[in-house]
Amino acid sequence: MFSIVIRGLRSTLPRQSLIINTSSHFHLSSVNKAEDVESVQKAKISKAMKAYLERAKEYESCMETARLEYKLGKRHLANMMGADVESFTQEDIDQAVQYLFPSGLYDPAARPTMKPPEEFIPRKKGAEFDETGRPFHPLFYTGRPNFFQLLFDVVENINKLNALEDSTRMKGKSLDSVGKKIDTTGSEWLPKELLEKKIVETISDIEYDNFISAMNRLEAHPLSDRVKDFVFEYRKPLISKLDNDTIPVPQHDEDGRQCVTIYECLRKTARGDVTLKFPGTGKIEVNGQDLRSVGNTQQREQVLFPLLFTKMYGKIDVTANVSGGGPSSQAGAVRWGIAMALRSFVDEDQIARMRVAGLLTRDYRRRERKKPGQAGARRKYTWKKR
């Protein structure tokens, strides 16, 4: 009995060793094949692919360096202004730059500024495929994956809203209980140039028209308010909100008339304040003198223009005190003060027309300084050959 068991063990040992050897040989061969495939794939990488990947890495490293410099500059500005670094916002940065580096340049693009790198460094597409040439995006071979992905998202949102509308109607409920139509008043679709910057791709006019028609279809859906964030991501306001959009509330004087006073009326070096009283007889005084005895015709027309534009001439009394600057800058300061005060006595449509006409825009232009080596700000000396 014991000898039979020993013989059985002997007969089984070589088989086990054979099985172990074959399995290990199979594992080694599979590993070798995988390494060969990987080496072949690496060998297939072209010079153009390597250059493309290097450019993508350089762009990412450049953006990372710019972000670090922005954070460091933000910290220095906060320390200079004596503010908390953690709660120092972009608005605080703009105010600090304007305070530390005052500029009288009219063009805002020429003034010193400090913005996050994402706002002034042009966006570029990241690596669209790996080292083996396999694209990351499923719509890569369309040529414009971001644009067609955007159209796909629009259709997907429409289908979701349609499914919600059908289920709501089948349950016998009203659509008002689950949503409403979106209100896009005061905004418009992004123009083609801004859309191309947003998706970092160039599209044709026909493709842009297709995008607008698809978004209009989504906007017209009775439940489009549920995708409000997606819709407004591709819209922009018609008129940007300004800091001085707060309309002053009229007060009452001793005669019971409504009155509004606007301070800090600026134009070049002129400073003044303007008070309007309603109802009035059309009396206009500048520094205690009647308007007819102040300045020339062009300057008097500047002061009267806001009243004539809003058809309030003869209905409001104006009292202005202005100092500094010349006659032209004083007239510009009074004109701006009258226009800002008139907002309290006209409707919103009239305010919108005043804004379009430029009456509510402060004029920051100043006299340009003389340049060294020149006869004036722009004038050059007469060139003489001998």
Side-chain angles (χ1 to χ4, degrees):
M1 182 71 179
F2 182 73
S3 62
I4 294 173
V5 172
I6 292 296
R7 243 189 338 264
L9 289 173
R10 286 175 181 174
S11 61
T12 57
L13 284 174
R15 295 176 184 174
Q16 293 177 353
S17 62
L18 179 62
I19 294 172
I20 293 171
N21 291 335
T22 55
S23 62
S24 61
H25 177 71
F26 175 76
H27 177 69
L28 291 175
S29 62
S30 62
V31 170
N32 292 333
K33 287 181 180 179
E35 291 178 353
D36 294 340
V37 171
E38 187 176 357
S39 62
V40 170
Q41 289 177 344
K42 288 184 178 179
K44 288 183 179 180
I45 300 176
S46 62
K47 293 182 179 180
M49 178 81 71
K50 290 181 180 178
Y52 170 78
L53 295 175
E54 288 176 0
R55 286 196 302 268
K57 291 179 181 179
E58 288 177 359
Y59 176 76
E60 291 298 330
S61 63
C62 175
M63 289 295 293
E64 187 63 28
T65 304
R67 293 189 190 99
L68 293 176
E69 292 177 351
Y70 172 75
K71 291 180 181 178
L72 182 62
K74 175 182 175 181
R75 183 175 295 274
H76 285 325
L77 273 180
N79 293 334
M80 293 170 67
M81 300 300 294
D84 184 18
V85 180
E86 302 299 331
S87 60
F88 207 62
T89 62
Q90 183 60 42
E91 184 178 357
D92 298 331
I93 292 175
D94 297 337
Q95 293 178 358
V97 171
Q98 186 178 4
Y99 174 76
L100 296 173
F101 308 100
S103 174
L105 296 174
Y106 178 69
D107 189 2
R111 301 173 192 165
T113 182
M114 179 178 169
K115 300 289 184 182
E118 290 81 7
E119 295 188 15
F120 63 88
I121 296 181
R123 291 180 58 192
K124 289 186 178 180
K125 284 187 177 180
E128 299 183 45
F129 40 82
D130 55 14
E131 295 180 353
T132 62
R134 181 175 296 177
F136 295 132
H137 203 287
L139 300 176
F140 172 78
Y141 292 105
T142 60
R144 285 174 290 277
N146 293 341
F147 174 72
F148 287 104
Q149 181 65 44
L150 174 59
L151 294 182
F152 178 82
D153 294 339
V154 173
V155 175
E156 189 177 13
N157 284 321
I158 292 176
N159 291 336
K160 288 182 180 179
L161 294 180
N162 288 337
L164 179 61
E165 180 183 5
D166 294 341
S167 62
T168 304
R169 293 185 186 280
M170 290 178 63
K171 294 177 182 178
K173 298 180 180 179
S174 63
L175 295 179
D176 296 336
S177 61
V178 293
K180 59 181 180 180
K181 186 177 178 181
I182 191 173
D183 183 15
T184 56
T185 305
S187 62
E188 64 180 355
W189 297 116
L190 290 178
K192 181 185 173 185
E193 295 76 15
L194 294 182
L195 181 63
E196 289 177 340
K197 288 183 179 180
K198 187 174 183 62
I199 63 177
V200 202
E201 289 177 354
T202 303
I203 59 176
S204 63
D205 294 336
I206 297 177
E207 290 172 337
Y208 178 73
D209 294 339
N210 293 336
F211 164 75
I212 295 298
S213 62
M215 294 299 288
N216 285 332
R217 182 182 172 188
L218 176 62
E219 179 193 356
H221 199 280
L223 301 178
S224 56
D225 190 65
R226 298 181 67 90
V227 291
K228 178 171 61 176
D229 296 337
F230 177 79
V231 171
F232 277 102
E233 188 177 353
Y234 300 95
R235 295 186 71 89
K236 69 168 188 175
L238 289 173
I239 301 173
S240 59
K241 290 289 184 180
L242 303 177
D243 296 335
N244 54 11
D245 270 354
T246 304
I247 299 177
V249 179
Q251 305 296 325
H252 292 82
D253 60 0
E254 59 275 3
D255 298 331
R257 295 189 299 174
Q258 298 180 2
C259 62
V260 173
T261 302
I262 301 296
Y263 299 96
E264 291 297 324
C265 303
L266 313 178
R267 176 70 178 97
K268 292 185 179 179
T269 57
R271 301 290 183 271
D273 58 84
V274 177
T275 301
L276 266 63
K277 295 184 178 182
F278 178 81
T281 59
K283 183 180 179 181
I284 302 176
E285 291 184 352
V286 178
N287 291 335
Q289 298 181 6
D290 190 82
L291 181 64
R292 290 172 289 186
S293 61
V294 177
N296 55 28
T297 304
Q298 191 270 341
Q299 293 155 6
R300 289 193 290 268
E301 288 179 352
Q302 266 204 35
V303 175
L304 290 174
F305 179 68
L307 298 171
L308 298 173
F309 185 84
T310 56
K311 299 179 181 179
M312 297 293 287
Y313 180 69
K315 303 177 183 179
I316 287 181
D317 292 341
V318 180
T319 303
N321 297 306
V322 62
S323 61
S328 178
S329 59
Q330 289 186 356
V334 173
R335 165 186 161 167
W336 184 82
I338 292 175
M340 294 298 290
L342 280 173
R343 297 177 303 163
S344 303
F345 305 107
V346 297
D347 55 10
E348 294 183 359
D349 295 337
Q350 188 66 264
I351 294 175
R353 286 191 286 270
M354 293 171 64
R355 184 178 287 109
V356 172
L359 289 173
L360 305 181
T361 303
R362 194 189 292 272
D363 192 352
Y364 287 99
R365 293 178 299 171
R366 300 176 67 89
R367 183 180 183 275
E368 190 174 350
R369 55 156 290 184
K370 178 187 177 299
K371 310 299 189 305
Q374 298 180 186
R378 303 290 177 92
R379 183 180 175 84
K380 310 296 190 297
Y381 291 116
T382 304
W383 182 80
K384 296 180 180 180
K385 187 175 181 179
R386 293 179 181 85

mmCIF file of all heavy atoms in Angstrom, residues 247-263 274-280 315-319 337 340-345:
data_model
loop_
_atom_site.group_PDB
_atom_site.id
_atom_site.type_symbol
_atom_site.label_atom_id
_atom_site.label_comp_id
_atom_site.label_asym_id
_atom_site.label_seq_id
_atom_site.Cartn_x
_atom_site.Cartn_y
_atom_site.Cartn_z
ATOM 1 N N ILE A 247 -29.558 104.625 -9.904
ATOM 2 C CA ILE A 247 -30.264 105.887 -10.165
ATOM 3 C C ILE A 247 -30.590 106.535 -8.823
ATOM 4 O O ILE A 247 -31.207 105.914 -7.952
ATOM 5 C CB ILE A 247 -31.539 105.631 -10.979
ATOM 6 C CG1 ILE A 247 -31.179 104.995 -12.327
ATOM 7 C CG2 ILE A 247 -32.315 106.922 -11.184
ATOM 8 C CD1 ILE A 247 -32.378 104.632 -13.165
ATOM 9 N N PRO A 248 -30.185 107.795 -8.614
ATOM 10 C CA PRO A 248 -30.473 108.450 -7.332
ATOM 11 C C PRO A 248 -31.965 108.695 -7.140
ATOM 12 O O PRO A 248 -32.696 108.981 -8.098
ATOM 13 C CB PRO A 248 -29.694 109.770 -7.429
ATOM 14 C CG PRO A 248 -29.539 110.023 -8.897
ATOM 15 C CD PRO A 248 -29.433 108.674 -9.541
ATOM 16 N N VAL A 249 -32.401 108.589 -5.910
ATOM 17 C CA VAL A 249 -33.814 108.822 -5.576
ATOM 18 C C VAL A 249 -34.024 110.321 -5.335
ATOM 19 O O VAL A 249 -33.279 110.936 -4.559
ATOM 20 C CB VAL A 249 -34.213 108.024 -4.327
ATOM 21 C CG1 VAL A 249 -35.681 108.282 -3.967
ATOM 22 C CG2 VAL A 249 -33.966 106.539 -4.542
ATOM 23 N N PRO A 250 -34.987 110.942 -6.001
ATOM 24 C CA PRO A 250 -35.203 112.389 -5.812
ATOM 25 C C PRO A 250 -35.610 112.721 -4.373
ATOM 26 O O PRO A 250 -36.393 111.995 -3.746
ATOM 27 C CB PRO A 250 -36.335 112.715 -6.791
ATOM 28 C CG PRO A 250 -36.333 111.594 -7.781
ATOM 29 C CD PRO A 250 -35.867 110.383 -7.045
ATOM 30 N N GLN A 251 -35.056 113.822 -3.869
ATOM 31 C CA GLN A 251 -35.430 114.362 -2.571
ATOM 32 C C GLN A 251 -36.378 115.546 -2.791
ATOM 33 O O GLN A 251 -36.654 115.931 -3.935
ATOM 34 C CB GLN A 251 -34.174 114.796 -1.802
ATOM 35 C CG GLN A 251 -33.121 113.708 -1.648
ATOM 36 C CD GLN A 251 -33.609 112.539 -0.824
ATOM 37 O OE1 GLN A 251 -34.384 112.716 0.124
ATOM 38 N NE2 GLN A 251 -33.164 111.339 -1.179
ATOM 39 N N HIS A 252 -36.862 116.128 -1.693
ATOM 40 C CA HIS A 252 -37.792 117.265 -1.787
ATOM 41 C C HIS A 252 -37.184 118.458 -1.058
ATOM 42 O O HIS A 252 -36.670 118.321 0.061
ATOM 43 C CB HIS A 252 -39.154 116.908 -1.176
ATOM 44 C CG HIS A 252 -39.910 115.869 -1.963
ATOM 45 N ND1 HIS A 252 -39.662 114.519 -1.839
ATOM 46 C CD2 HIS A 252 -40.895 116.002 -2.899
ATOM 47 C CE1 HIS A 252 -40.471 113.848 -2.660
ATOM 48 N NE2 HIS A 252 -41.228 114.734 -3.311
ATOM 49 N N ASP A 253 -37.243 119.622 -1.716
ATOM 50 C CA ASP A 253 -36.716 120.828 -1.100
ATOM 51 C C ASP A 253 -37.797 121.507 -0.272
ATOM 52 O O ASP A 253 -38.895 120.957 -0.064
ATOM 53 C CB ASP A 253 -36.154 121.767 -2.176
ATOM 54 C CG ASP A 253 -37.227 122.179 -3.190
ATOM 55 O OD1 ASP A 253 -38.375 121.728 -3.046
ATOM 56 O OD2 ASP A 253 -36.910 122.945 -4.131
ATOM 57 N N GLU A 254 -37.526 122.725 0.181
ATOM 58 C CA GLU A 254 -38.490 123.430 1.040
ATOM 59 C C GLU A 254 -39.744 123.825 0.293
ATOM 60 O O GLU A 254 -40.804 124.038 0.916
ATOM 61 C CB GLU A 254 -37.830 124.681 1.644
ATOM 62 C CG GLU A 254 -37.312 125.690 0.621
ATOM 63 C CD GLU A 254 -35.917 125.354 0.142
ATOM 64 O OE1 GLU A 254 -35.378 124.300 0.569
ATOM 65 O OE2 GLU A 254 -35.360 126.151 -0.658
ATOM 66 N N ASP A 255 -39.664 123.906 -1.039
ATOM 67 C CA ASP A 255 -40.849 124.237 -1.829
ATOM 68 C C ASP A 255 -41.664 123.005 -2.222
ATOM 69 O O ASP A 255 -42.696 123.133 -2.897
ATOM 70 C CB ASP A 255 -40.445 124.985 -3.106
ATOM 71 C CG ASP A 255 -39.763 126.311 -2.782
ATOM 72 O OD1 ASP A 255 -40.082 126.879 -1.717
ATOM 73 O OD2 ASP A 255 -38.910 126.750 -3.587
ATOM 74 N N GLY A 256 -41.191 121.835 -1.824
ATOM 75 C CA GLY A 256 -41.906 120.605 -2.151
ATOM 76 C C GLY A 256 -41.573 120.046 -3.518
ATOM 77 O O GLY A 256 -42.193 119.070 -3.954
ATOM 78 N N ARG A 257 -40.594 120.640 -4.206
ATOM 79 C CA ARG A 257 -40.202 120.134 -5.523
ATOM 80 C C ARG A 257 -39.169 119.015 -5.392
ATOM 81 O O ARG A 257 -38.362 119.003 -4.447
ATOM 82 C CB ARG A 257 -39.630 121.269 -6.384
ATOM 83 C CG ARG A 257 -40.631 122.362 -6.730
ATOM 84 C CD ARG A 257 -40.060 123.319 -7.757
ATOM 85 N NE ARG A 257 -38.872 123.996 -7.273
ATOM 86 C CZ ARG A 257 -38.124 124.804 -8.034
ATOM 87 N NH1 ARG A 257 -38.447 125.007 -9.304
ATOM 88 N NH2 ARG A 257 -37.057 125.391 -7.531
ATOM 89 N N GLN A 258 -39.189 118.111 -6.361
ATOM 90 C CA GLN A 258 -38.194 117.038 -6.383
ATOM 91 C C GLN A 258 -36.862 117.602 -6.856
ATOM 92 O O GLN A 258 -36.809 118.380 -7.816
ATOM 93 C CB GLN A 258 -38.636 115.913 -7.313
ATOM 94 C CG GLN A 258 -39.926 115.232 -6.895
ATOM 95 C CD GLN A 258 -40.305 114.120 -7.847
ATOM 96 O OE1 GLN A 258 -39.596 113.839 -8.801
ATOM 97 N NE2 GLN A 258 -41.445 113.501 -7.587
ATOM 98 N N CYS A 259 -35.786 117.188 -6.186
ATOM 99 C CA CYS A 259 -34.465 117.678 -6.555
ATOM 100 C C CYS A 259 -33.446 116.541 -6.455
ATOM 101 O O CYS A 259 -33.551 115.668 -5.593
ATOM 102 C CB CYS A 259 -34.031 118.858 -5.673
ATOM 103 S SG CYS A 259 -33.880 118.453 -3.926
ATOM 104 N N VAL A 260 -32.497 116.561 -7.366
ATOM 105 C CA VAL A 260 -31.418 115.573 -7.414
ATOM 106 C C VAL A 260 -30.110 116.325 -7.633
ATOM 107 O O VAL A 260 -30.028 117.196 -8.507
ATOM 108 C CB VAL A 260 -31.638 114.541 -8.539
ATOM 109 C CG1 VAL A 260 -30.424 113.635 -8.678
ATOM 110 C CG2 VAL A 260 -32.879 113.722 -8.275
ATOM 111 N N THR A 261 -29.075 115.972 -6.853
ATOM 112 C CA THR A 261 -27.766 116.597 -6.967
ATOM 113 C C THR A 261 -26.732 115.537 -7.336
ATOM 114 O O THR A 261 -26.661 114.477 -6.698
ATOM 115 C CB THR A 261 -27.355 117.293 -5.660
ATOM 116 O OG1 THR A 261 -28.344 118.271 -5.317
ATOM 117 C CG2 THR A 261 -26.003 117.966 -5.808
ATOM 118 N N ILE A 262 -25.957 115.827 -8.352
ATOM 119 C CA ILE A 262 -24.883 114.933 -8.801
ATOM 120 C C ILE A 262 -23.556 115.620 -8.489
ATOM 121 O O ILE A 262 -23.295 116.730 -8.953
ATOM 122 C CB ILE A 262 -24.984 114.625 -10.306
ATOM 123 C CG1 ILE A 262 -26.326 113.973 -10.621
ATOM 124 C CG2 ILE A 262 -23.838 113.727 -10.757
ATOM 125 C CD1 ILE A 262 -26.526 112.615 -9.980
ATOM 126 N N TYR A 263 -22.717 114.945 -7.689
ATOM 127 C CA TYR A 263 -21.406 115.469 -7.346
ATOM 128 C C TYR A 263 -20.330 114.804 -8.214
ATOM 129 O O TYR A 263 -20.592 113.825 -8.919
ATOM 130 C CB TYR A 263 -21.112 115.223 -5.862
ATOM 131 C CG TYR A 263 -22.106 115.893 -4.936
ATOM 132 C CD1 TYR A 263 -23.199 115.196 -4.431
ATOM 133 C CD2 TYR A 263 -21.948 117.230 -4.569
ATOM 134 C CE1 TYR A 263 -24.106 115.800 -3.590
ATOM 135 C CE2 TYR A 263 -22.858 117.839 -3.719
ATOM 136 C CZ TYR A 263 -23.934 117.123 -3.233
ATOM 137 O OH TYR A 263 -24.842 117.732 -2.396
ATOM 138 N N VAL A 274 -24.030 119.427 -9.997
ATOM 139 C CA VAL A 274 -25.220 119.878 -10.717
ATOM 140 C C VAL A 274 -26.450 119.474 -9.920
ATOM 141 O O VAL A 274 -26.549 118.333 -9.440
ATOM 142 C CB VAL A 274 -25.283 119.268 -12.131
ATOM 143 C CG1 VAL A 274 -26.563 119.680 -12.834
ATOM 144 C CG2 VAL A 274 -24.070 119.691 -12.945
ATOM 145 N N THR A 275 -27.404 120.397 -9.775
ATOM 146 C CA THR A 275 -28.658 120.141 -9.075
ATOM 147 C C THR A 275 -29.816 120.407 -10.030
ATOM 148 O O THR A 275 -29.884 121.475 -10.651
ATOM 149 C CB THR A 275 -28.795 121.037 -7.828
ATOM 150 O OG1 THR A 275 -27.696 120.791 -6.946
ATOM 151 C CG2 THR A 275 -30.097 120.748 -7.102
ATOM 152 N N LEU A 276 -30.728 119.423 -10.130
ATOM 153 C CA LEU A 276 -31.926 119.556 -10.963
ATOM 154 C C LEU A 276 -33.150 119.575 -10.071
ATOM 155 O O LEU A 276 -33.231 118.793 -9.104
ATOM 156 C CB LEU A 276 -32.030 118.381 -11.951
ATOM 157 C CG LEU A 276 -31.436 118.606 -13.361
ATOM 158 C CD1 LEU A 276 -29.939 118.839 -13.259
ATOM 159 C CD2 LEU A 276 -31.723 117.400 -14.240
ATOM 160 N N LYS A 277 -34.101 120.456 -10.394
ATOM 161 C CA LYS A 277 -35.349 120.557 -9.638
ATOM 162 C C LYS A 277 -36.526 120.426 -10.586
ATOM 163 O O LYS A 277 -36.567 121.073 -11.632
ATOM 164 C CB LYS A 277 -35.431 121.889 -8.890
ATOM 165 C CG LYS A 277 -34.374 122.038 -7.803
ATOM 166 C CD LYS A 277 -34.551 123.326 -7.015
ATOM 167 C CE LYS A 277 -33.517 123.431 -5.904
ATOM 168 N NZ LYS A 277 -33.691 124.662 -5.091
ATOM 169 N N PHE A 278 -37.459 119.548 -10.190
ATOM 170 C CA PHE A 278 -38.637 119.286 -11.015
ATOM 171 C C PHE A 278 -39.892 119.390 -10.140
ATOM 172 O O PHE A 278 -39.914 118.858 -9.021
ATOM 173 C CB PHE A 278 -38.541 117.883 -11.613
ATOM 174 C CG PHE A 278 -39.727 117.494 -12.442
ATOM 175 C CD1 PHE A 278 -39.848 117.911 -13.754
ATOM 176 C CD2 PHE A 278 -40.737 116.703 -11.896
ATOM 177 C CE1 PHE A 278 -40.952 117.545 -14.511
ATOM 178 C CE2 PHE A 278 -41.843 116.340 -12.639
ATOM 179 C CZ PHE A 278 -41.940 116.759 -13.957
ATOM 180 N N PRO A 279 -40.943 120.053 -10.633
ATOM 181 C CA PRO A 279 -41.056 120.789 -11.907
ATOM 182 C C PRO A 279 -40.379 122.142 -11.821
ATOM 183 O O PRO A 279 -40.131 122.672 -10.750
ATOM 184 C CB PRO A 279 -42.562 120.922 -12.083
ATOM 185 C CG PRO A 279 -43.101 120.929 -10.684
ATOM 186 C CD PRO A 279 -42.205 120.038 -9.871
ATOM 187 N N GLY A 280 -40.060 122.685 -13.004
ATOM 188 C CA GLY A 280 -39.386 123.970 -13.057
ATOM 189 C C GLY A 280 -39.839 124.769 -14.263
ATOM 190 O O GLY A 280 -40.729 124.366 -15.009
ATOM 191 N N LYS A 315 -38.938 122.273 -18.465
ATOM 192 C CA LYS A 315 -39.671 121.605 -17.392
ATOM 193 C C LYS A 315 -38.841 121.445 -16.126
ATOM 194 O O LYS A 315 -39.362 121.037 -15.090
ATOM 195 C CB LYS A 315 -40.134 120.227 -17.852
ATOM 196 C CG LYS A 315 -40.995 120.244 -19.117
ATOM 197 C CD LYS A 315 -41.347 118.831 -19.537
ATOM 198 C CE LYS A 315 -42.147 118.836 -20.831
ATOM 199 N NZ LYS A 315 -42.472 117.440 -21.277
ATOM 200 N N ILE A 316 -37.529 121.726 -16.201
ATOM 201 C CA ILE A 316 -36.614 121.486 -15.088
ATOM 202 C C ILE A 316 -35.731 122.712 -14.902
ATOM 203 O O ILE A 316 -35.301 123.338 -15.866
ATOM 204 C CB ILE A 316 -35.755 120.229 -15.352
ATOM 205 C CG1 ILE A 316 -36.609 118.971 -15.191
ATOM 206 C CG2 ILE A 316 -34.561 120.152 -14.420
ATOM 207 C CD1 ILE A 316 -35.853 117.686 -15.395
ATOM 208 N N ASP A 317 -35.449 123.043 -13.635
ATOM 209 C CA ASP A 317 -34.496 124.101 -13.300
ATOM 210 C C ASP A 317 -33.137 123.464 -12.997
ATOM 211 O O ASP A 317 -33.060 122.436 -12.307
ATOM 212 C CB ASP A 317 -34.963 124.895 -12.084
ATOM 213 C CG ASP A 317 -36.207 125.706 -12.400
ATOM 214 O OD1 ASP A 317 -36.466 125.937 -13.608
ATOM 215 O OD2 ASP A 317 -36.921 126.094 -11.459
ATOM 216 N N VAL A 318 -32.075 124.068 -13.511
ATOM 217 C CA VAL A 318 -30.721 123.536 -13.364
ATOM 218 C C VAL A 318 -29.851 124.560 -12.666
ATOM 219 O O VAL A 318 -29.843 125.748 -13.044
ATOM 220 C CB VAL A 318 -30.104 123.177 -14.742
ATOM 221 C CG1 VAL A 318 -28.689 122.626 -14.560
ATOM 222 C CG2 VAL A 318 -30.978 122.179 -15.471
ATOM 223 N N THR A 319 -29.136 124.116 -11.636
ATOM 224 C CA THR A 319 -28.167 124.960 -10.932
ATOM 225 C C THR A 319 -26.847 124.203 -10.889
ATOM 226 O O THR A 319 -26.772 123.095 -10.335
ATOM 227 C CB THR A 319 -28.627 125.279 -9.502
ATOM 228 O OG1 THR A 319 -29.910 125.907 -9.549
ATOM 229 C CG2 THR A 319 -27.634 126.182 -8.808
ATOM 230 N N GLY A 337 -23.196 115.976 -15.777
ATOM 231 C CA GLY A 337 -23.970 116.017 -14.532
ATOM 232 C C GLY A 337 -25.462 116.125 -14.790
ATOM 233 O O GLY A 337 -26.277 115.478 -14.121
ATOM 234 N N MET A 340 -26.751 112.680 -16.004
ATOM 235 C CA MET A 340 -26.848 111.693 -14.929
ATOM 236 C C MET A 340 -28.021 111.994 -14.005
ATOM 237 O O MET A 340 -28.678 111.082 -13.497
ATOM 238 C CB MET A 340 -25.546 111.674 -14.133
ATOM 239 C CG MET A 340 -24.339 111.185 -14.923
ATOM 240 S SD MET A 340 -24.506 109.486 -15.504
ATOM 241 C CE MET A 340 -24.376 108.611 -13.962
ATOM 242 N N ALA A 341 -28.299 113.267 -13.773
ATOM 243 C CA ALA A 341 -29.417 113.623 -12.892
ATOM 244 C C ALA A 341 -30.761 113.416 -13.574
ATOM 245 O O ALA A 341 -31.768 113.123 -12.902
ATOM 246 C CB ALA A 341 -29.278 115.072 -12.439
ATOM 247 N N LEU A 342 -30.820 113.540 -14.897
ATOM 248 C CA LEU A 342 -32.089 113.361 -15.615
ATOM 249 C C LEU A 342 -32.619 111.930 -15.532
ATOM 250 O O LEU A 342 -33.803 111.694 -15.785
ATOM 251 C CB LEU A 342 -31.909 113.758 -17.086
ATOM 252 C CG LEU A 342 -31.952 115.253 -17.403
ATOM 253 C CD1 LEU A 342 -31.593 115.492 -18.860
ATOM 254 C CD2 LEU A 342 -33.332 115.819 -17.089
ATOM 255 N N ARG A 343 -31.776 110.968 -15.188
ATOM 256 C CA ARG A 343 -32.257 109.586 -15.082
ATOM 257 C C ARG A 343 -33.353 109.430 -14.047
ATOM 258 O O ARG A 343 -34.168 108.503 -14.128
ATOM 259 C CB ARG A 343 -31.095 108.659 -14.735
ATOM 260 C CG ARG A 343 -29.991 108.599 -15.787
ATOM 261 C CD ARG A 343 -28.858 107.724 -15.310
ATOM 262 N NE ARG A 343 -28.327 108.203 -14.051
ATOM 263 C CZ ARG A 343 -27.560 107.480 -13.234
ATOM 264 N NH1 ARG A 343 -27.254 106.230 -13.545
ATOM 265 N NH2 ARG A 343 -27.111 107.989 -12.105
ATOM 266 N N SER A 344 -33.376 110.323 -13.064
ATOM 267 C CA SER A 344 -34.387 110.223 -12.004
ATOM 268 C C SER A 344 -35.749 110.730 -12.452
ATOM 269 O O SER A 344 -36.744 110.516 -11.737
ATOM 270 C CB SER A 344 -33.930 111.022 -10.774
ATOM 271 O OG SER A 344 -32.675 110.568 -10.310
ATOM 272 N N PHE A 345 -35.831 111.359 -13.628
ATOM 273 C CA PHE A 345 -37.095 111.960 -14.057
ATOM 274 C C PHE A 345 -37.582 111.407 -15.398
ATOM 275 O O PHE A 345 -38.572 111.937 -15.933
ATOM 276 C CB PHE A 345 -36.934 113.481 -14.169
ATOM 277 C CG PHE A 345 -36.423 114.135 -12.917
ATOM 278 C CD1 PHE A 345 -35.123 114.612 -12.834
ATOM 279 C CD2 PHE A 345 -37.242 114.248 -11.802
ATOM 280 C CE1 PHE A 345 -34.652 115.207 -11.685
ATOM 281 C CE2 PHE A 345 -36.782 114.844 -10.641
ATOM 282 C CZ PHE A 345 -35.480 115.319 -10.568
#
